[in-house]
Amino acid sequence: MDYTKTLNLLKTDFPMRAKLPEREPEILDWWQQINIYQQVRESRRGAPTWILHDGPPYANGNIHLGQALNKILKDITIKYKTMRGYDCPYVPGWDTQGLPTEQAVQTEYGIDRHEVPVLEWRSKCQELALKYVEIQREQFQRLGVRGDWHNPYLTLDKDYQARQIEAFGKIALQGLVYRSLRPVYWCYHCETALAEDEIEYVTRTSDAIYVAFELRDADQCFDQLPQGARAHVVIWTTTPWTIPGNTGIAVGEHYEYALVKAKDDYYLMAQELLSESMQQIGLSDYEVVATRPGKDLVGLAVQHPLYDRISPLVLADHVTLEQGTGAVHTAPGHGLEDYQVSLECDLDIISPLDDCGRFTDEAGPELAGLVCDEANEKVLELLEACGALLARTTIEHEYPHCWRCHLPVIYRATLQWFMDIDQLRDQALTEIAETTWIPAWGESRIAGMVESRPDWCISRQRSWGVPIPVFYCTDCGEALLTEETVAHVRDLVAEHGADVWFAREAAELIPPGTTCPECGADSFIKEPDIMSVWVDSGCSHYCVMRPHPELSYPADLYLEGDDQYQCWFQTSLWVAAGLGDPAPYKTVVGHGFFVDDGGQKLSKSKGNIIDPAEIYNKYGADVLRLWFTYADFRQKMHHSEDILQQVAEAYRRIRNTARFLLANLRDFDPATDGLAPDQMREIDRWALLRLNRVIKRMTEAFDRWDLHLFYHDVHGFCANDLSAFYLNVLKDTLYTDLPDSPARRSAQTALWQLLLALTKMIAPVLTFTADEIWEHCRETDLSLPVSAQLADWPRVDERFDDEELRVRWERLMQMRTQVSAALEQAKEDGEIDQPLTAAITIYAPEDEQQLLASFGDDLRMIFVVSAAQARPLAEGMSELQVEVAQARGEKCERCWLYDEGIGTSPEHPTLCPRCVQRINQWPENQQ
RNA sequence: GGGCAAUUAGCUCAGUUGGCUAGAGCGCGCCCCUGAUAAGGGCGAGGUCCCUGGUUCGACUCCAGGAUUGCCCA
């Protein structure tokens, strides 16, 4: 007879194989159908809100792995917080304006911005940005990210732009914004100023030259100098093309400078760098005539080698003796430190370059029209011709490059708009101290950056962005910016979008009747520059969080890649400070970046870019999501195929555990079959005690953003506590006991709790799989909400927190390890085939022996053997010993345990008495 | 050159206030099961806890210096 029909074998249509790439899109469709975002929001109506403000990714391509990580971490957090009882509106956003889009229009559409009208150019930019918003929206949703995808915020929205103009006006009217001629990083390929965060340093080889500047009145300082002798200050520079911009030479106050004679000429430079420099110049035969400290040299007049003008000797703190001659070529139009010196020492600021980096006529006829970097040769030629070029070598050094076109940038003095950071710094630092930073060292990191950050250059010489709403009087040139003009522009932009600024003349953009407060004239021109894209996103709290009916200020959380300490975390703070607001965030979480298995950063140029679509199309988004909780996201994240394989394997384990639970609950109705804790068997209470522990740890981990503990704890629980032990032990009860027996119902009561809690706990991470499991859970309990996302986070059930039980089982588990080892040994020695054929005797010290004995008949079940008994230590034994023998009797055909009573029933000659009894009582309808 | 951080088995991580033979999962090797089966179970081999000093009865844990790596800045 086939006894399999008299067993409660597994039964479920929950598939073992996930086929996530096929299954996930179906679940997505279903979420859309039931409008999961709205349902979740409604289920939390009236609950306290918890707001994560989305940092807008830049819409100029497919999403990359870092963006996938970012959005998934946000999603995990929001889903967790929702389950914890909060109402969590999530409004995703996109950064849509700025240089990257303009460049993409050029490359993708092949349009030259100089050849089309500005409005057409802007419309192309908008078209492209919106295209990528669509693409990214699809891709983010595919990752399982839940949010208000139908109503995202875009920085190009009219309302956004209008609020941004309003914010600028408020900040500017408080005197926190100024316009100044100042050297800024300038990319002459992109024809725009670049902010510090748009610079990348690349090693390159440059010229390094020594140049002689003739001293006009050296004899004032050095009476050793013979009448009519020529003396030169020697400078060293790696950018020959900046020589035309030289307006001074800086020396260090306390350094000793030596006047040396070589051949018939005299040279002046720092004593300490003398031998090195003279060697480079090729004048090894020289003598020191005199020395003077730097401070004595101040005010000496030096003749510029190329032009008829004087470059005075000045003091500067930044002069060092690390390189060069200790006499520093100073071109205030081409360097920030030089610029600062020029302010202190009243040097001229000369920057004879146009937007494209070409020398203007100011540089003289030989240089006019040449592009600066390429003009090096010509400058060298000119210096050579006048005998000023002493030596020419090369040097390898880090040089700033444009982050977009990767070409070298220059410093160029231009009129730019700045936010006055000095006025806001203290407030910003106070706010930083008030904010919670995760990880904690993020605080010292951003504080350090904020302390030393120079004024923020916020203007860009481009057109795809929000205009700087300033006018200039055509008569006196004075800038015009009043509450009225700002409000007027703001209203026009709110109605027509920022295009209106570019479509209309100044007269049509100012309130009628406006006159210049300085000279009374009524004719104006408009500011040509737009705001940096970092202003756009930095204003998001003012443009989105403030006015949005569902959001509020400040946000509970900002969560971005840790490059944002220098960018969005900061720009948002500066804007808030400028507006007189507290920080826009209460907590800020920074996450690391991906590196490949060799530890190299993922980048296009290295060709090691990973497309998240490839991963979710191959493994599924849930595996991708699980991966992001596999490693500590606050550090760099490694990517390799090996790691993905591991994660996929772990996914299968979790999935199969859930499947096993489901498959044993088909005949269980929690309402009628569930048992109270005091009616449950000890092992089942132990399982729920262990579940409590996982819930506790998971909750703490999520609260502390120790997300990687999720993977390790949940997976460890499934693998160790459940698969390897509890579920394995339970099989005998679940399969062979009477369906309605107390033991089986006790087990099922625990299994049901395990299944529910586990499914809820994985819901924020394995968001697709959780709902797939949940659907099957609802077959057991229809009163459950339709999605796990609508469930409450599991709670610790204190009825199972039994310390005595915990200790008791901990000791048992230790002994179990020894039993397993003994069984393995017996198997190797050929004494038994497998554990089920074994009978074990455990000789244990008294305490242990009593503990084991207290389990009675359950002991053999716990060790998954046919028979087990505990005895006191025998003579000569000092510690626990396990004796393994072949179990007596035959193998029962039904329960597979060995028993001596087999054959005693004529009706069922192959069954043990226990099974015979059960068969006889087996419910009719299940036979 | 400066700031912030990291460094525990092949991989990803644990390791409370310094204290028994440093743990887990995966991977690997060997074996068992075939009533979780493109599943499940057992055992095993893998570690100078980056290095060097110091404090201490005792340091993976604390201190100093160094190395390497990553990010940011110059």
Side-chain angles (χ1 to χ4, degrees):
Chain A
M1 149 163 205
D2 179 9
Y3 290 109
T4 57
K5 286 183 180 160
T6 70
L7 293 165
N8 310 293
L9 293 183
L10 299 182
K11 196 177 171 194
T12 179
D13 44 21
F14 180 80
M16 174 174 280
R17 298 200 61 198
K19 294 187 180 168
L20 291 177
E22 296 167 35
R23 192 81 183 91
E24 286 173 345
E26 297 169 17
I27 297 171
L28 276 174
D29 284 347
W30 176 68
W31 283 338
Q32 291 222 312
Q33 270 173 39
I34 65 167
N35 198 348
I36 187 73
Y37 175 74
Q38 279 309 328
Q39 275 214 42
V40 170
R41 291 292 310 285
E42 272 155 33
S43 76
R44 294 291 180 229
R45 189 175 296 266
T49 58
W50 188 88
I51 289 159
L52 184 155
H53 179 51
D54 194 36
Y58 201 86
N60 71 332
N62 292 319
I63 62 168
H64 58 252
L65 203 53
Q67 289 171 323
L69 171 69
N70 178 260
K71 277 289 193 291
I72 287 173
L73 291 175
K74 286 171 176 166
D75 189 51
I76 290 171
T77 306
I78 286 171
K79 282 176 177 160
Y80 168 70
K81 285 287 176 185
T82 307
M83 293 179 79
R84 286 299 297 277
Y86 293 96
D87 176 17
C88 305
Y90 177 54
V91 181
W94 273 278
D95 210 353
T96 52
Q97 300 172 135
L99 187 56
T101 301
E102 296 202 44
Q103 281 170 331
V105 167
Q106 191 156 353
T107 54
E108 283 192 35
Y109 293 163
I111 301 171
D112 185 331
R113 74 186 178 103
H114 299 293
E115 287 168 8
V116 295
V118 62
L119 284 172
E120 187 180 328
W121 178 252
R122 282 177 52 86
S123 123
K124 287 291 174 193
C125 288
Q126 168 155 335
E127 182 186 322
L128 194 71
L130 292 178
K131 174 183 133 186
Y132 282 116
V133 166
E134 271 322 303
I135 289 172
Q136 295 193 354
R137 176 172 17 211
E138 283 298 310
Q139 293 172 332
F140 284 139
Q141 284 183 281
R142 177 63 187 83
L143 298 174
V145 178
R146 185 183 76 200
D148 197 358
W149 292 107
H150 298 300
N151 305 293
Y153 76 84
L154 306 180
T155 56
L156 57 70
D157 287 339
K158 291 173 191 170
D159 293 342
Y160 194 110
Q161 293 172 331
R163 295 273 302 181
Q164 186 174 333
I165 282 172
E166 184 177 287
F168 176 89
K170 282 189 179 179
I171 296 168
L173 286 168
Q174 286 180 72
L176 294 166
V177 166
Y178 66 91
R179 192 177 185 228
S180 163
L181 185 70
R182 174 168 167 150
V184 292
Y185 283 116
W186 184 273
C187 178
Y188 54 86
H189 306 94
C190 303
E191 296 170 45
T192 186
L194 295 171
E196 292 80 31
D197 40 62
E198 294 168 330
I199 293 298
E200 58 185 27
Y201 286 82
V202 178
T203 303
R204 78 159 192 176
T205 304
S206 297
D207 288 311
I209 58 170
Y210 288 85
V211 183
F213 279 56
E214 190 174 348
L215 280 154
R216 276 282 189 75
D217 43 11
D219 48 338
Q220 280 179 13
C221 188
F222 296 99
D223 44 22
Q224 296 88 341
L225 205 61
Q227 195 74 33
R230 293 200 310 162
H232 308 85
V233 182
V234 182
I235 63 97
W236 178 85
T237 181
T238 59
T239 46
W241 65 265
T242 62
I243 294 288
N246 177 290
T247 58
I249 290 172
V251 294
E253 186 175 2
H254 302 297
Y255 301 143
E256 279 296 314
Y257 286 82
L259 184 71
V260 302
K261 184 181 185 218
K263 295 187 182 157
D264 294 327
D265 282 325
Y266 291 80
Y267 300 99
L268 182 65
M269 64 193 83
Q271 173 100 46
E272 199 173 311
L273 293 160
L274 191 55
S275 71
E276 162 78 23
S277 299
M278 292 306 276
Q279 194 192 331
Q280 291 287 345
I281 293 169
L283 295 171
S284 47
D285 191 18
Y286 61 88
E287 59 171 318
V288 176
V289 177
T291 63
R292 292 281 185 282
K295 61 178 172 14
D296 289 2
L297 305 173
V298 175
L300 288 180
V302 177
Q303 171 66 45
H304 192 291
L306 301 181
Y307 307 106
D308 183 18
R309 66 172 192 248
I310 298 297
S311 296
L313 276 167
V314 295
L315 292 182
D317 292 337
H318 71 272
V319 176
T320 70
L321 299 178
E322 279 170 19
Q323 263 181 329
T325 63
V328 176
H329 157 57
T330 300
H334 300 307
L336 202 54
E337 285 168 328
D338 299 15
Y339 168 76
Q340 269 145 8
V341 171
S342 77
L343 296 182
E344 288 160 25
C345 306
D346 202 23
L347 300 180
D348 289 336
I349 300 171
I350 297 178
S351 187
L353 298 173
D354 67 11
D355 290 0
C356 300
R358 280 190 299 261
F359 278 108
T360 60
D361 293 342
E362 196 184 353
E366 291 94 343
L367 293 172
L370 292 175
V371 173
C372 56
D373 219 23
E374 294 145 21
N376 279 338
E377 278 307 322
K378 188 66 188 177
V379 171
L380 292 172
E381 226 174 83
L382 294 171
L383 291 172
E384 182 85 64
C386 65
L389 185 64
L390 296 177
R392 177 183 181 180
T393 58
T394 57
I395 184 175
E396 251 194 28
H397 62 159
E398 303 266 284
Y399 190 84
H401 286 63
C402 173
W403 75 329
R404 283 294 157 191
C405 68
H406 306 293
L407 292 166
V409 300
I410 58 173
Y411 258 120
R412 177 186 178 224
T414 53
L415 274 174
Q416 299 290 343
W417 284 95
F418 293 89
M419 192 180 282
D420 188 343
I421 293 303
D422 272 336
Q423 287 192 58
L424 300 170
R425 206 181 307 274
D426 286 348
Q427 190 192 336
L429 288 169
T430 307
E431 290 299 328
I432 286 169
E434 294 285 312
T435 302
T436 303
W437 300 89
I438 312 267
W441 50 258
E443 176 169 351
S444 41
R445 181 149 180 198
I446 191 168
M449 289 171 173
V450 161
E451 273 163 20
S452 60
R453 163 170 203 137
D455 285 352
W456 178 16
C457 178
I458 56 173
S459 47
R460 294 292 184 273
Q461 291 63 51
R462 282 280 171 161
S463 53
W464 178 229
V466 176
I468 293 174
V470 174
F471 301 92
Y472 301 97
C473 172
T474 48
D475 276 14
C476 70
E478 193 63 26
L480 173 72
L481 177 110
T482 65
E483 265 182 55
E484 292 73 29
T485 61
V486 170
H488 194 72
V489 175
R490 177 201 63 202
D491 292 345
L492 287 171
V493 168
E495 188 181 348
H496 306 285
D499 271 349
V500 73
W501 181 268
F502 301 89
R504 298 187 183 179
E505 293 304 320
E508 303 166 290
L509 294 165
I510 54 174
T514 304
T515 54
C516 174
E518 289 296 315
C519 69
D522 62 356
S523 165
F524 298 91
I525 52 167
K526 42 183 192 180
E527 163 68 48
D529 289 358
I530 59 167
M531 292 184 224
S532 157
V533 59
W534 289 110
V535 179
D536 296 0
S537 58
C539 286
S540 68
H541 53 80
Y542 187 78
C543 301
V544 179
M545 263 158 66
R546 286 281 191 196
H548 198 287
E550 294 172 347
L551 305 179
S552 59
Y553 191 101
D556 292 280
L557 186 71
Y558 273 36
L559 189 164
E560 306 295 333
D562 59 21
D563 54 339
Q564 302 300 332
Y565 286 113
Q566 184 66 12
C567 303
W568 194 56
F569 296 157
Q570 237 188 80
T571 57
S572 297
L573 185 59
W574 295 125
V575 171
L579 291 164
D581 288 334
Y585 34 68
K586 292 179 191 162
T587 299
V588 178
V589 174
H591 61 78
F593 278 77
F594 283 96
V595 294
D596 62 21
D597 40 2
Q600 296 281 303
K601 171 181 168 179
L602 300 187
S603 70
K604 270 184 200 158
S605 56
K606 284 183 182 131
N608 57 357
I609 286 288
I610 306 298
D611 182 357
E614 255 176 53
I615 298 175
Y616 62 66
N617 286 331
K618 184 176 173 188
Y619 296 99
D622 267 359
V623 170
L624 187 69
R625 296 172 68 102
L626 186 59
W627 173 25
F628 295 161
T629 67
Y630 176 69
D632 186 344
F633 70 80
R634 290 163 293 203
Q635 313 280 332
K636 59 189 175 186
M637 303 270 287
H638 287 268
H639 166 271
S640 73
E641 200 54 35
D642 177 54
I643 290 172
L644 276 171
Q645 292 288 350
Q646 277 189 46
V647 175
E649 185 61 34
Y651 170 83
R652 274 178 230 127
R653 165 72 77 166
I654 297 169
R655 183 183 179 87
N656 264 323
T657 304
R659 181 172 178 271
F660 185 86
L661 297 174
L662 278 170
N664 279 297
L665 288 162
R666 261 309 182 78
D667 64 333
F668 179 75
D669 179 352
T672 54
D673 301 324
L675 299 185
D678 57 358
Q679 295 177 297
M680 290 171 71
R681 290 200 304 178
E682 186 174 349
I683 189 171
D684 301 319
R685 283 186 277 127
W686 172 83
L688 294 181
L689 178 150
R690 295 292 291 176
L691 173 66
N692 273 352
R693 177 176 174 273
V694 181
I695 293 172
K696 224 174 286 174
R697 286 176 60 95
M698 275 336 336
T699 308
E700 282 167 14
F702 275 107
D703 284 341
R704 288 198 313 255
W705 278 278
D706 290 337
L707 292 195
H708 59 294
L709 298 183
F710 171 86
Y711 172 100
H712 293 279
D713 267 15
V714 168
H715 180 258
F717 182 63
C718 289
N720 300 330
D721 289 334
L722 298 185
S723 269
F725 178 65
Y726 179 63
L727 299 180
N728 221 19
V729 167
L730 238 49
K731 283 178 190 171
D732 179 63
T733 305
L734 290 168
Y735 297 165
T736 70
D737 217 335
L738 288 170
D740 205 26
S741 69
R744 190 158 176 277
R745 291 309 189 198
S746 169
Q748 285 179 317
T749 303
L751 294 186
W752 176 240
Q753 290 309 316
L754 287 166
L755 177 64
L756 283 180
L758 212 51
T759 309
K760 289 174 190 174
M761 277 192 290
I762 67 173
V765 179
L766 300 173
T767 196
F768 292 97
T769 304
D771 265 358
E772 200 187 341
I773 299 169
W774 196 255
E775 192 193 339
H776 288 78
C777 292
R778 295 187 77 232
E779 290 166 12
T780 295
D781 183 356
L782 247 177
S783 71
L784 293 172
V786 294
S787 162
Q789 296 177 36
L790 288 156
D792 288 336
W793 186 251
R795 290 217 186 110
V796 167
D797 187 339
E798 280 164 11
R799 294 174 302 175
F800 297 100
D801 271 347
D802 181 339
E803 181 61 13
E804 201 183 316
L805 188 79
R806 189 188 69 76
V807 173
R808 190 169 139 82
W809 280 72
E810 203 170 276
R811 288 163 68 199
L812 180 69
M813 295 305 257
Q814 277 164 10
M815 288 188 270
R816 185 171 170 270
T817 307
Q818 286 174 273
V819 170
S820 295
L823 286 168
E824 186 67 20
Q825 187 62 50
K827 199 164 70 179
E828 267 175 46
D829 296 345
E831 287 166 24
I832 56 164
D833 292 335
Q834 48 145 322
L836 261 187
T837 70
I840 59 172
T841 308
I842 305 169
Y843 298 92
E846 197 181 346
D847 282 0
E848 259 57 35
Q849 193 264 329
Q850 282 178 4
L851 177 79
L852 291 169
S854 73
F855 283 96
D857 272 355
D858 286 345
L859 208 52
R860 69 160 193 199
M861 173 185 90
I862 286 165
F863 295 124
V864 199
V865 292
S866 280
Q869 58 176 325
R871 288 199 182 154
L873 289 180
E875 214 160 305
M877 290 180 180
S878 60
E879 55 188 13
L880 186 136
Q881 279 194 21
V882 183
E883 194 179 275
V884 180
Q886 177 73 37
R888 281 186 279 187
E890 304 286 316
K891 178 182 178 181
C892 168
E893 194 188 336
R894 183 169 174 276
C895 73
W896 292 353
L897 292 179
Y898 280 67
D899 195 281
E900 289 180 278
I902 287 175
T904 49
S905 162
E907 269 189 308
H908 303 288
T910 59
L911 297 193
C912 65
R914 185 180 71 151
C915 284
V916 171
Q917 189 186 6
R918 285 172 177 175
I919 289 256
N920 290 336
Q921 293 173 7
W922 202 261
E924 286 297 319
N925 57 356
Q926 295 206 14
Q927 282 223 4

